[in-house]
Short mmCIF file of all heavy atoms in Angstrom, two decimals:
data_model
loop_
_atom_site.label_atom_id
_atom_site.label_comp_id
_atom_site.label_asym_id
_atom_site.label_seq_id
_atom_site.Cartn_x
_atom_site.Cartn_y
_atom_site.Cartn_z
N VAL A 119 0.36 29.73 32.01
CA VAL A 119 1.77 29.60 32.40
C VAL A 119 2.50 30.85 31.92
O VAL A 119 2.32 31.28 30.77
CB VAL A 119 2.40 28.34 31.79
CG1 VAL A 119 3.92 28.34 32.02
CG2 VAL A 119 1.79 27.09 32.40
N THR A 120 3.30 31.40 32.81
CA THR A 120 4.08 32.59 32.47
C THR A 120 5.55 32.22 32.36
O THR A 120 6.10 31.52 33.22
CB THR A 120 3.89 33.68 33.53
OG1 THR A 120 2.52 34.11 33.53
CG2 THR A 120 4.78 34.88 33.24
N VAL A 121 6.17 32.69 31.27
CA VAL A 121 7.57 32.36 30.98
C VAL A 121 8.36 33.65 30.83
O VAL A 121 7.94 34.56 30.09
CB VAL A 121 7.68 31.51 29.70
CG1 VAL A 121 9.14 31.22 29.38
CG2 VAL A 121 6.91 30.20 29.86
N ALA A 122 9.49 33.74 31.50
CA ALA A 122 10.37 34.89 31.35
C ALA A 122 11.17 34.78 30.06
O ALA A 122 11.42 33.68 29.55
CB ALA A 122 11.31 34.98 32.55
N TYR A 123 11.58 35.92 29.54
CA TYR A 123 12.44 35.93 28.36
C TYR A 123 13.37 37.13 28.43
O TYR A 123 13.09 38.11 29.14
CB TYR A 123 11.63 35.95 27.06
CG TYR A 123 10.92 37.26 26.78
CD1 TYR A 123 11.55 38.28 26.06
CD2 TYR A 123 9.63 37.49 27.24
CE1 TYR A 123 10.91 39.48 25.80
CE2 TYR A 123 8.98 38.68 26.99
CZ TYR A 123 9.62 39.68 26.26
OH TYR A 123 8.99 40.88 26.03
N THR A 124 14.46 37.06 27.72
CA THR A 124 15.37 38.19 27.58
C THR A 124 15.39 38.65 26.14
O THR A 124 15.16 37.86 25.22
CB THR A 124 16.80 37.83 28.02
OG1 THR A 124 17.27 36.75 27.19
CG2 THR A 124 16.83 37.41 29.47
N LEU A 125 15.67 39.92 25.97
CA LEU A 125 15.83 40.49 24.64
C LEU A 125 17.14 41.24 24.65
O LEU A 125 17.26 42.31 25.25
CB LEU A 125 14.65 41.42 24.30
CG LEU A 125 14.50 41.84 22.83
CD1 LEU A 125 13.06 42.26 22.54
CD2 LEU A 125 15.44 42.98 22.48
N ALA A 126 18.14 40.65 24.01
CA ALA A 126 19.50 41.21 23.99
C ALA A 126 19.71 41.97 22.68
O ALA A 126 19.80 41.36 21.61
CB ALA A 126 20.53 40.11 24.16
N VAL A 127 19.80 43.29 22.76
CA VAL A 127 19.98 44.12 21.57
C VAL A 127 21.47 44.20 21.25
O VAL A 127 22.27 44.60 22.11
CB VAL A 127 19.41 45.53 21.80
CG1 VAL A 127 19.57 46.38 20.54
CG2 VAL A 127 17.95 45.46 22.21
N PRO A 128 21.88 43.82 20.04
CA PRO A 128 23.31 43.90 19.70
C PRO A 128 23.83 45.33 19.78
O PRO A 128 23.09 46.30 19.58
CB PRO A 128 23.35 43.38 18.25
CG PRO A 128 22.09 42.58 18.09
CD PRO A 128 21.08 43.25 18.96
N ALA A 129 25.11 45.46 20.04
CA ALA A 129 25.72 46.79 20.15
C ALA A 129 25.69 47.53 18.81
O ALA A 129 25.69 48.77 18.78
CB ALA A 129 27.16 46.65 20.64
N ASP A 130 25.65 46.79 17.71
CA ASP A 130 25.64 47.43 16.39
C ASP A 130 24.24 47.45 15.77
O ASP A 130 24.10 47.63 14.55
CB ASP A 130 26.60 46.72 15.44
CG ASP A 130 26.26 45.24 15.25
OD1 ASP A 130 25.37 44.73 15.97
OD2 ASP A 130 26.88 44.60 14.37
#
Side-chain angles (χ1 to χ4, degrees):
V119 171
T120 296
V121 177
Y123 71 90
T124 60
L125 193 157
V127 182
D130 59 352

